Amino acid sequence: MAPPGPAGAHPTSAEPLSRSIFRKFLLMLCSLLTSLYVFYCLAERCQTLSGPVVGLSGGGEETGAPGRGVLAGGPRELAARPAAAQRKRFLQLKQWRRRRRPVRRDGGEEVAWEEETPGLAGGPGGSGAGSSVAEAPPGTLALLLDEGSKQLPQAIIIGVKKGGTRALLEFLRVHPDVRAVGAEPHFFDRSYDKGLSWYRDLMPRTLEGQITMEKTPSYFVTREAPARISAMSKDTKLIVVVRDPVTRAISDYTQTLSKRPDIPTFESLTFKNRTTGLIDTSWSAIQIGIYAKHLEHWLRHFPISQMLFVSGERLISDPAGELGRVQDFLGLKRIITDKHFYFNKTKGFPCLKKAEGSSKPHCLGKTKGRTHPEIDHEVVQRLREFYRPFNLKFYQMTGHDFGWDG
């Protein structure tokens, strides 16, 4: 039988057990601190945060952006972060964007250069299922940290169909201070009953100093759109891309023909009576080109100084020049210049040397730049005579001669 140990002695097994628990505790603590450090480094907040991040999913609303994060011990939102750090983060997020295949819309049109975006279920208000907006992809830390906020658009491209609106929007998105919805929201013509909160939720997040934009060409010919946009904000800047109405009508017809090869000829749709030469203004391809008539509705709600009219022809021949005018109108620094474009002889219009979020040259999709069918010369001349008085009135209203009747 073993002799008893000295009084007050503890069993030897207790000592290694204590060390084991202590080592596990230290290991867990180190793992936790390492995880926190990596998290903050990835979020680029290691050197910019004055305190821990709290309330990332806060319930407060501020300037129409629910759930915006707040920095503990500092101002609201991301005010503790230097502007340069915010811009750097924004430019990095742009690299995550990916192009998606063209999406067919309710009206049959295919839209190219759209982006995959989280958090937006496709719906009728976004021009059909699968609508997308220009935001960061799923799983990025930007979404986790709720960087930026969603704002109602300060500028809208309101028209016109087949005028060059898609090209203008994609060119503008090269600018670091422009954030735009990829798909056409069609809020002010098709989905107004869904409310401004629904509309705002379609918008991409923006940082301070950036402009939120969208484009829906059908707004220009929608009677209710001017009053509705004015009710949202009387300060909204409006951009209209216009094109020779005869060429625009033929382009409109060409698009429809590509979807429905069995439609009547352009000539038969143009006239109510070919013998008398009476133009059928009820045909949308013709009606859209009566720009002066549509502009009258807009001038009842917005001053002409709040509208910019972009030449679709010059957008092809001198894209940098027209983009310069647009940047001035929006109060942006002239960053988009000649160096951003090259002319694609096959398509017949300029393309971007480096598209947004890409290091490769890029043109609009195959649905743009279609070859127009041959139209009877007499029909074209009759259309030019029909549009001439409307064009002259439009020149007078805008103070700009677009040269369609020269």
Side-chain angles (χ1 to χ4, degrees), residues 9 23 39 44 73 77 98-99 106 125 139-140 160 174 201 209 221 236 267 283 309 378-379 388:
R23 280 198 299 268
F39 176 81
E44 292 189 5
E77 279 276 23
R98 305 185 295 273
R99 286 192 311 124
D106 292 340
T140 63
V160 298
V174 173
D201 195 49
V221 297
T236 306
E267 291 82 357
W283 184 30
F309 299 89
E378 290 184 5
V379 174
R388 185 171 290 111

Side-chain angles (χ1 to χ4, degrees), residues 246 249-254 263-271 283 285-286 373-376 379-380 383:
V246 177
I250 296 173
S251 179
D252 200 336
Y253 173 79
T254 303
I263 62 171
T265 63
F266 180 85
E267 291 82 357
S268 62
L269 291 170
T270 298
F271 297 102
W283 184 30
I286 300 295
E374 282 292 327
I375 305 298
D376 190 307
V379 174
V380 173
L383 275 176

